[in-house]
Amino acid sequence: MMKELFYLSGVIAFLVIFFVSIFAPTKGQTRIWLWSLLKIGFFVSLFYSWFTDNIVLKWILIEASTLFGALLISSSGTERSFHVGWKFLLINSYALGLAFLGIVILLFASTPLENLDFESLKQGLVGQSGLLIETGILLTVYGYSGKLGLVPNHFWVGDTYAESPSQISSLIASFVPVSVVLAIRPLIQLEREINPHMINAANGILFIGVLTILYSTLMLFSREDIRRISAKVALFHTGMLTLFLWLDVSDDMFYFLLSTTVLVKLLVFISMGILRMDAGKRNISQILETSSLSHKALYMYLLALLVAFVFPLSPVFVLDLKVIEIAIKQKMFFLFLFPIMGAIFFFIALNKVLTLVRLPNRNFETSLYGILQTRLVFFWFSFLFTVSVGTYGLTYLMAEYIWKK
């Protein structure tokens, strides 16, 4: 059921992003239908990768999204967005090149395969060279981690989300991480069976995931740009994905995690786009110099931050409860640090954004009223769906506590 919920969440998130770009486009956006076709190509390539077990085809589809993504980042038409699009293309292609090298090594180490599905590869690796297989898995996982945007291959993340229209940022942040995690998970599970040593892909990706969480939290202190604050929120949640990969959680919990990732990032970037367009500026210090601000836009952004970290019916809150449950049951008490880090990140971001409340309230700008109202409708729809998913996850994943007599 959770797998179907994830697929549904992906489709709904894409439709929201697509309709926002059609009916409430960014100011000055041209050739909307051309960019819409690229959005469809981006989504279809990643969405299809969710269903295939062919490890080479999955890599090809994820690599195809890199090309579509680079073109979409450049849709703003500015020189800066053009350079950022090239950075996205080069860093992601380099990272996926390493992943492909790892896949080639795994295929070389395997006995001849009937097909390129993962289960066939797994059978073909039985009894083969341990070191060669471990090297192939490490290269593949590390390469894919660059596509995730984890430290040290994170340099494309901030610029991509800062220089792209909010719909493009939402599209990349929502769909790239879940697609890559789906490609990584079976490799990590395989390595657990063949490599019991401390140095392995699971521990390695958790290490760089923790570094990513710490980096995004520390960098948040110096960020005044609401676009880059949103980018750090996305980076923090991407780092948290590695924890669940390392824990090797159940399929239900894993697919609920993927649904959460898609929906939370959708909310954050839609609300950021509303606030950014209404304020007319990106930096908080510059917004504070204006005479007024629509508190409606501000509260949408604050609500999205709440849902991303501490809102009681948010899917993120349910996942925090599951982490605490695992920490208690398996006596891994260091896991308590991860929900605490989320709370710390939230209060830092809240402290920055809440200063905007001092500005006098006004309605949306007249020239942008229709666009912002349309985006607001899509935000509320996304919010209600996200809360519904969180409520369902709470009653399903925590059923033994809720319905316990």
Side-chain angles (χ1 to χ4, degrees), residues 95-165:
L96 288 174
L98 290 178
F100 187 72
L101 177 60
I103 292 172
V104 169
I105 292 173
L106 290 174
L107 293 173
F108 174 79
S110 170
T111 56
L113 305 177
E114 294 182 2
N115 55 60
L116 294 176
D117 288 353
F118 181 78
E119 284 301 320
S120 179
L121 174 65
K122 185 177 179 180
Q123 293 298 320
L125 292 174
V126 173
Q128 304 304 311
S129 171
L131 180 60
L132 197 58
I133 295 172
E134 291 163 17
T135 301
I137 292 175
L138 279 170
L139 276 174
T140 306
V141 171
Y142 178 72
Y144 274 133
S145 75
K147 181 68 177 177
L148 270 176
L150 299 177
V151 171
N153 298 309
H154 61 284
F155 297 105
W156 62 268
V157 175
D159 288 341
T160 295
Y161 298 154
E163 302 303 327
S164 306

Coordinates of all heavy atoms in Angstrom, one line a residue, residues 95-165:
A95 N 29.5 12.7 -11.4 CA 29.1 11.7 -10.4 C 28.5 10.5 -11.0 O 28.8 9.3 -10.6 CB 28.1 12.4 -9.5
L96 N 27.6 10.6 -12.0 CA 27.0 9.5 -12.6 C 28.0 8.7 -13.4 O 27.8 7.5 -13.6 CB 25.8 9.9 -13.5 CG 24.6 10.4 -12.7 CD1 23.5 10.9 -13.6 CD2 24.0 9.3 -11.8
G97 N 29.0 9.3 -13.9 CA 30.1 8.6 -14.6 C 30.8 7.6 -13.6 O 31.1 6.5 -14.0
L98 N 31.0 8.0 -12.4 CA 31.6 7.1 -11.4 C 30.6 6.0 -11.1 O 31.0 4.8 -10.9 CB 31.9 7.9 -10.1 CG 33.0 8.9 -10.1 CD1 33.1 9.6 -8.8 CD2 34.3 8.2 -10.4
A99 N 29.3 6.3 -11.0 CA 28.3 5.3 -10.8 C 28.3 4.3 -11.9 O 28.2 3.1 -11.7 CB 26.9 5.9 -10.6
F100 N 28.4 4.7 -13.1 CA 28.4 3.8 -14.3 C 29.7 2.9 -14.3 O 29.6 1.7 -14.6 CB 28.4 4.6 -15.6 CG 28.2 3.7 -16.8 CD1 27.0 3.1 -17.0 CD2 29.2 3.5 -17.7 CE1 26.8 2.3 -18.1 CE2 29.1 2.7 -18.8 CZ 27.8 2.1 -19.0
L101 N 30.8 3.5 -13.9 CA 32.1 2.7 -13.8 C 31.9 1.6 -12.7 O 32.3 0.5 -12.9 CB 33.2 3.6 -13.3 CG 34.6 2.9 -13.1 CD1 35.0 2.2 -14.4 CD2 35.6 3.9 -12.7
G102 N 31.2 1.9 -11.6 CA 30.9 0.9 -10.6 C 30.0 -0.2 -11.1 O 30.2 -1.4 -10.9
I103 N 29.0 0.2 -11.9 CA 28.1 -0.8 -12.5 C 28.9 -1.7 -13.5 O 28.7 -2.9 -13.5 CB 26.9 -0.1 -13.2 CG1 26.0 0.6 -12.2 CG2 26.1 -1.1 -14.1 CD1 25.0 1.5 -12.8
V104 N 29.8 -1.1 -14.3 CA 30.6 -1.9 -15.2 C 31.4 -2.9 -14.5 O 31.5 -4.1 -14.9 CB 31.5 -1.0 -16.1 CG1 32.5 -1.8 -16.9 CG2 30.6 -0.2 -17.0
I105 N 32.0 -2.5 -13.3 CA 32.8 -3.4 -12.5 C 32.0 -4.6 -12.0 O 32.4 -5.7 -12.0 CB 33.5 -2.7 -11.4 CG1 34.6 -1.7 -11.9 CG2 34.2 -3.6 -10.4 CD1 35.2 -0.8 -10.9
L106 N 30.8 -4.2 -11.5 CA 29.9 -5.3 -11.0 C 29.5 -6.3 -12.1 O 29.5 -7.5 -11.9 CB 28.6 -4.7 -10.4 CG 28.8 -3.9 -9.1 CD1 27.5 -3.2 -8.7 CD2 29.3 -4.8 -8.0
L107 N 29.2 -5.8 -13.3 CA 28.9 -6.6 -14.4 C 30.1 -7.5 -14.8 O 30.0 -8.7 -15.2 CB 28.4 -5.8 -15.6 CG 27.1 -5.1 -15.4 CD1 26.8 -4.2 -16.6 CD2 25.9 -6.1 -15.2
F108 N 31.3 -6.9 -14.7 CA 32.5 -7.7 -15.1 C 32.8 -8.8 -14.0 O 33.2 -9.9 -14.4 CB 33.7 -6.7 -15.1 CG 35.1 -7.4 -15.3 CD1 35.5 -7.8 -16.5 CD2 35.9 -7.6 -14.2 CE1 36.7 -8.4 -16.7 CE2 37.1 -8.2 -14.3 CZ 37.5 -8.6 -15.6
A109 N 32.5 -8.5 -12.8 CA 32.8 -9.5 -11.7 C 31.7 -10.6 -11.7 O 32.0 -11.7 -11.2 CB 32.7 -8.8 -10.3
S110 N 30.6 -10.3 -12.3 CA 29.5 -11.3 -12.3 C 29.7 -12.4 -13.4 O 30.4 -12.2 -14.4 CB 28.2 -10.6 -12.6 OG 27.1 -11.5 -12.8
T111 N 29.1 -13.5 -13.2 CA 29.0 -14.5 -14.2 C 28.1 -14.0 -15.3 O 27.3 -13.1 -15.1 CB 28.5 -15.9 -13.6 OG1 27.2 -15.6 -13.0 CG2 29.4 -16.4 -12.6
P112 N 28.1 -14.6 -16.5 CA 27.2 -14.1 -17.6 C 25.8 -14.1 -17.1 O 25.3 -15.0 -16.5 CB 27.5 -15.2 -18.7 CG 28.8 -15.7 -18.4 CD 29.0 -15.7 -16.9
L113 N 25.1 -13.0 -17.5 CA 23.7 -12.8 -17.0 C 22.7 -13.0 -18.1 O 23.0 -12.8 -19.3 CB 23.6 -11.3 -16.5 CG 24.6 -10.9 -15.4 CD1 24.3 -9.4 -15.1 CD2 24.4 -11.7 -14.2
E114 N 21.5 -13.5 -17.8 CA 20.5 -13.6 -18.7 C 19.9 -12.3 -19.1 O 19.4 -12.0 -20.2 CB 19.4 -14.5 -18.1 CG 19.8 -16.0 -17.9 CD 18.7 -16.8 -17.4 OE1 17.5 -16.3 -17.3 OE2 18.9 -18.0 -17.2
N115 N 19.9 -11.3 -18.1 CA 19.4 -10.0 -18.3 C 20.1 -9.1 -17.3 O 21.0 -9.5 -16.6 CB 17.9 -9.9 -18.1 CG 17.4 -10.4 -16.8 OD1 17.8 -9.9 -15.7 ND2 16.6 -11.5 -16.8
L116 N 19.8 -7.8 -17.3 CA 20.5 -6.8 -16.5 C 19.6 -6.4 -15.3 O 19.9 -5.4 -14.7 CB 20.8 -5.6 -17.3 CG 21.8 -5.8 -18.5 CD1 22.0 -4.5 -19.3 CD2 23.2 -6.3 -17.9
D117 N 18.6 -7.2 -14.9 CA 17.9 -6.9 -13.7 C 18.7 -7.1 -12.5 O 19.7 -8.0 -12.5 CB 16.6 -7.8 -13.7 CG 15.6 -7.4 -14.7 OD1 15.8 -6.3 -15.3 OD2 14.6 -8.1 -14.8
F118 N 18.4 -6.4 -11.4 CA 19.2 -6.5 -10.2 C 19.3 -7.9 -9.6 O 20.3 -8.4 -9.2 CB 18.8 -5.5 -9.2 CG 19.6 -5.5 -7.9 CD1 20.8 -4.9 -7.9 CD2 19.2 -6.2 -6.8 CE1 21.7 -4.9 -6.8 CE2 20.0 -6.3 -5.7 CZ 21.2 -5.6 -5.7
E119 N 18.2 -8.6 -9.6 CA 18.1 -10.0 -9.0 C 19.0 -10.9 -9.8 O 19.7 -11.8 -9.2 CB 16.7 -10.5 -9.0 CG 15.8 -9.9 -7.9 CD 16.4 -10.1 -6.5 OE1 16.9 -11.2 -6.3 OE2 16.4 -9.2 -5.7
S120 N 19.0 -10.7 -11.1 CA 19.9 -11.6 -12.0 C 21.4 -11.2 -11.7 O 22.2 -12.1 -11.6 CB 19.6 -11.3 -13.5 OG 20.5 -12.1 -14.3
L121 N 21.7 -9.9 -11.5 CA 23.1 -9.5 -11.1 C 23.5 -10.1 -9.8 O 24.6 -10.6 -9.6 CB 23.2 -8.0 -11.1 CG 24.5 -7.4 -10.6 CD1 25.6 -7.8 -11.6 CD2 24.4 -5.9 -10.5
K122 N 22.5 -10.1 -8.9 CA 22.8 -10.6 -7.5 C 23.2 -12.1 -7.5 O 24.1 -12.5 -6.9 CB 21.6 -10.4 -6.6 CG 21.8 -10.7 -5.2 CD 20.5 -10.4 -4.4 CE 20.7 -10.8 -2.9 NZ 19.4 -10.5 -2.1
Q123 N 22.4 -12.8 -8.3 CA 22.7 -14.2 -8.5 C 24.1 -14.4 -9.2 O 24.8 -15.4 -8.9 CB 21.6 -14.9 -9.3 CG 20.3 -15.0 -8.6 CD 20.4 -15.8 -7.3 OE1 21.0 -16.8 -7.2 NE2 19.7 -15.3 -6.2
G124 N 24.4 -13.6 -10.1 CA 25.6 -13.7 -10.9 C 26.9 -13.4 -10.1 O 28.0 -13.7 -10.4
L125 N 26.7 -12.6 -8.9 CA 27.8 -12.3 -8.1 C 28.1 -13.3 -7.0 O 29.1 -13.1 -6.3 CB 27.5 -10.9 -7.4 CG 27.5 -9.7 -8.4 CD1 27.0 -8.4 -7.6 CD2 28.8 -9.5 -9.0
V126 N 27.3 -14.3 -6.9 CA 27.5 -15.3 -5.9 C 28.8 -16.0 -6.1 O 29.0 -16.5 -7.2 CB 26.3 -16.3 -5.8 CG1 26.6 -17.5 -4.9 CG2 25.0 -15.6 -5.4
G127 N 29.7 -16.0 -5.1 CA 30.9 -16.8 -5.2 C 32.0 -16.0 -6.0 O 33.1 -16.6 -6.2
Q128 N 31.8 -14.8 -6.4 CA 32.8 -14.0 -7.1 C 33.7 -13.2 -6.2 O 33.5 -13.3 -4.9 CB 32.1 -13.0 -8.1 CG 31.1 -13.7 -9.0 CD 31.7 -14.8 -9.8 OE1 32.8 -14.6 -10.4 NE2 31.1 -16.0 -9.9
S129 N 34.7 -12.5 -6.7 CA 35.7 -11.8 -5.9 C 35.1 -10.8 -5.0 O 34.3 -9.9 -5.5 CB 36.7 -11.2 -6.9 OG 37.6 -10.3 -6.2
G130 N 35.3 -10.9 -3.7 CA 34.7 -9.9 -2.8 C 35.2 -8.5 -2.9 O 34.4 -7.6 -3.0
L131 N 36.5 -8.3 -3.1 CA 37.1 -7.0 -3.2 C 36.6 -6.3 -4.4 O 36.3 -5.1 -4.4 CB 38.6 -7.1 -3.2 CG 39.3 -5.7 -3.3 CD1 39.0 -4.8 -2.1 CD2 40.9 -5.9 -3.4
L132 N 36.5 -7.0 -5.5 CA 36.1 -6.4 -6.8 C 34.6 -5.9 -6.7 O 34.2 -4.8 -7.1 CB 36.2 -7.3 -7.9 CG 36.2 -6.8 -9.4 CD1 37.3 -5.7 -9.5 CD2 36.4 -7.9 -10.4
I133 N 33.8 -6.8 -6.1 CA 32.4 -6.4 -5.9 C 32.2 -5.2 -5.0 O 31.4 -4.3 -5.3 CB 31.6 -7.7 -5.4 CG1 31.6 -8.8 -6.4 CG2 30.2 -7.3 -5.0 CD1 31.1 -10.1 -5.9
E134 N 33.0 -5.3 -3.9 CA 32.9 -4.1 -2.9 C 33.3 -2.8 -3.6 O 32.7 -1.8 -3.3 CB 33.8 -4.4 -1.7 CG 33.2 -5.6 -0.8 CD 34.3 -6.2 0.1 OE1 35.3 -5.5 0.3 OE2 34.1 -7.3 0.6
T135 N 34.4 -2.9 -4.4 CA 34.8 -1.7 -5.1 C 33.7 -1.2 -6.1 O 33.4 0.0 -6.1 CB 36.1 -2.0 -5.9 OG1 37.1 -2.4 -5.0 CG2 36.6 -0.7 -6.6
G136 N 33.1 -2.1 -6.8 CA 32.0 -1.7 -7.7 C 30.9 -1.1 -7.0 O 30.3 0.0 -7.4
I137 N 30.5 -1.7 -5.8 CA 29.3 -1.1 -5.1 C 29.7 0.3 -4.5 O 28.9 1.2 -4.6 CB 28.9 -2.1 -4.0 CG1 28.3 -3.3 -4.5 CG2 27.9 -1.4 -3.0 CD1 28.0 -4.4 -3.5
L138 N 30.9 0.4 -4.0 CA 31.3 1.7 -3.4 C 31.3 2.8 -4.5 O 30.9 3.9 -4.2 CB 32.7 1.6 -2.8 CG 32.8 1.0 -1.4 CD1 34.3 0.7 -1.0 CD2 32.2 1.9 -0.4
L139 N 31.9 2.5 -5.6 CA 31.9 3.5 -6.7 C 30.5 3.8 -7.2 O 30.2 5.0 -7.4 CB 32.7 2.9 -7.9 CG 34.2 3.1 -7.9 CD1 34.8 2.3 -9.1 CD2 34.6 4.5 -7.9
T140 N 29.6 2.9 -7.3 CA 28.3 3.1 -7.7 C 27.5 4.0 -6.7 O 26.9 5.0 -7.1 CB 27.5 1.8 -7.9 OG1 28.2 1.0 -8.8 CG2 26.1 2.1 -8.5
V141 N 27.6 3.6 -5.4 CA 26.9 4.4 -4.4 C 27.5 5.8 -4.2 O 26.7 6.7 -4.1 CB 27.0 3.6 -3.0 CG1 26.4 4.5 -1.9 CG2 26.2 2.3 -3.1
Y142 N 28.8 5.9 -4.3 CA 29.4 7.2 -4.2 C 29.1 8.1 -5.4 O 28.8 9.3 -5.2 CB 30.9 7.1 -4.0 CG 31.6 8.5 -3.9 CD1 31.5 9.2 -2.8 CD2 32.3 9.0 -5.0 CE1 32.1 10.5 -2.7 CE2 32.9 10.2 -4.9 CZ 32.8 11.0 -3.8 OH 33.4 12.2 -3.7
G143 N 29.0 7.5 -6.5 CA 28.7 8.3 -7.7 C 27.2 8.8 -7.6 O 26.9 9.9 -7.9
Y144 N 26.3 7.9 -7.2 CA 24.9 8.3 -7.1 C 24.8 9.3 -6.0 O 23.8 10.2 -6.0 CB 24.1 7.1 -6.8 CG 23.6 6.3 -8.0 CD1 23.7 4.9 -8.1 CD2 23.0 7.0 -9.1 CE1 23.2 4.2 -9.2 CE2 22.5 6.3 -10.2 CZ 22.6 4.9 -10.3 OH 22.2 4.3 -11.4
S145 N 25.6 9.3 -5.0 CA 25.5 10.3 -3.9 C 25.8 11.7 -4.4 O 25.3 12.7 -3.9 CB 26.5 10.0 -2.8 OG 27.8 10.3 -3.1
G146 N 26.6 11.8 -5.5 CA 26.8 13.1 -6.1 C 25.5 13.6 -6.8 O 25.2 14.8 -6.7
K147 N 24.8 12.7 -7.4 CA 23.5 13.1 -8.0 C 22.5 13.5 -6.9 O 21.7 14.4 -7.1 CB 23.0 11.9 -8.8 CG 21.6 12.2 -9.5 CD 21.8 13.2 -10.6 CE 20.4 13.4 -11.3 NZ 20.5 14.4 -12.3
L148 N 22.6 12.9 -5.7 CA 21.8 13.3 -4.5 C 22.1 14.7 -4.1 O 21.3 15.3 -3.5 CB 22.0 12.3 -3.4 CG 21.1 11.0 -3.3 CD1 21.5 10.2 -2.2 CD2 19.7 11.4 -3.2
G149 N 23.4 15.1 -4.3 CA 23.8 16.4 -3.8 C 24.4 16.3 -2.4 O 24.4 17.3 -1.7
L150 N 24.9 15.1 -2.0 CA 25.5 15.0 -0.7 C 27.0 15.5 -0.7 O 27.6 15.5 -1.7 CB 25.6 13.5 -0.3 CG 24.2 12.8 -0.1 CD1 24.4 11.4 0.2 CD2 23.3 13.5 0.9
V151 N 27.5 16.0 0.5 CA 28.9 16.4 0.6 C 29.7 15.2 0.2 O 29.4 14.1 0.6 CB 29.1 16.8 2.1 CG1 30.6 17.0 2.3 CG2 28.3 18.0 2.4
P152 N 30.8 15.4 -0.5 CA 31.4 16.6 -1.0 C 31.0 17.1 -2.4 O 31.6 18.0 -2.9 CB 32.9 16.3 -1.0 CG 32.9 14.9 -1.4 CD 31.7 14.2 -0.8
N153 N 30.0 16.4 -3.0 CA 29.5 16.8 -4.3 C 28.2 17.6 -4.3 O 27.3 17.4 -5.1 CB 29.3 15.5 -5.2 CG 30.6 14.8 -5.4 OD1 31.6 15.3 -5.8 ND2 30.6 13.5 -5.1
H154 N 28.2 18.5 -3.3 CA 26.9 19.3 -3.0 C 26.9 20.6 -3.7 O 25.9 21.4 -3.5 CB 26.8 19.4 -1.5 CG 27.9 20.2 -0.9 ND1 29.1 19.7 -0.7 CD2 28.0 21.5 -0.5 CE1 29.9 20.6 -0.2 NE2 29.2 21.7 0.0
F155 N 28.0 21.0 -4.4 CA 28.1 22.4 -4.8 C 27.1 22.9 -5.8 O 26.9 24.1 -6.0 CB 29.5 22.6 -5.3 CG 30.6 22.4 -4.3 CD1 31.4 21.2 -4.3 CD2 30.8 23.3 -3.3 CE1 32.4 21.0 -3.4 CE2 31.8 23.1 -2.3 CZ 32.6 21.9 -2.4
W156 N 26.4 21.9 -6.5 CA 25.4 22.3 -7.4 C 24.1 22.7 -6.8 O 23.2 23.4 -7.4 CB 25.2 21.2 -8.5 CG 24.7 19.9 -8.0 CD1 25.5 18.9 -7.6 CD2 23.4 19.5 -7.8 NE1 24.7 17.8 -7.1 CE2 23.4 18.2 -7.2 CE3 22.1 20.1 -8.0 CZ2 22.2 17.5 -6.9 CZ3 21.0 19.4 -7.7 CH2 21.0 18.1 -7.1
V157 N 23.9 22.2 -5.6 CA 22.5 22.2 -4.9 C 22.1 23.7 -4.7 O 21.0 24.1 -5.1 CB 22.5 21.4 -3.6 CG1 21.1 21.6 -3.0 CG2 22.8 19.9 -3.9
G158 N 22.9 24.4 -3.9 CA 22.5 25.8 -3.6 C 22.2 26.7 -4.8 O 21.2 27.4 -4.8
D159 N 23.2 26.7 -5.7 CA 23.0 27.5 -6.9 C 21.8 27.1 -7.8 O 21.1 27.9 -8.3 CB 24.3 27.5 -7.8 CG 25.4 28.2 -7.1 OD1 25.2 29.1 -6.2 OD2 26.6 28.0 -7.5
T160 N 21.6 25.8 -7.9 CA 20.5 25.3 -8.7 C 19.2 25.8 -8.1 O 18.3 26.3 -8.9 CB 20.5 23.8 -8.7 OG1 21.7 23.3 -9.4 CG2 19.3 23.2 -9.4
Y161 N 19.0 25.7 -6.8 CA 17.7 26.1 -6.2 C 17.6 27.6 -6.1 O 16.5 28.1 -6.0 CB 17.5 25.4 -4.9 CG 17.5 23.9 -4.9 CD1 17.8 23.1 -3.8 CD2 17.1 23.2 -6.1 CE1 17.8 21.7 -3.9 CE2 17.0 21.9 -6.1 CZ 17.4 21.1 -5.0 OH 17.4 19.8 -5.1
A162 N 18.7 28.3 -6.0 CA 18.7 29.7 -5.9 C 18.4 30.4 -7.2 O 17.8 31.5 -7.2 CB 20.0 30.2 -5.3
E163 N 18.9 29.9 -8.3 CA 18.8 30.5 -9.6 C 17.7 30.0 -10.5 O 17.5 30.5 -11.6 CB 20.1 30.4 -10.4 CG 21.3 31.0 -9.6 CD 21.1 32.5 -9.2 OE1 20.4 33.2 -10.0 OE2 21.5 32.9 -8.1
S164 N 17.0 29.0 -10.1 CA 15.9 28.4 -10.9 C 14.6 28.9 -10.5 O 14.4 29.3 -9.3 CB 15.9 26.9 -10.8 OG 17.1 26.3 -11.0
P165 N 13.6 29.0 -11.4 CA 12.2 29.3 -10.9 C 11.8 28.3 -9.9 O 12.2 27.1 -9.9 CB 11.4 29.2 -12.2 CG 12.4 29.4 -13.3 CD 13.7 28.8 -12.8

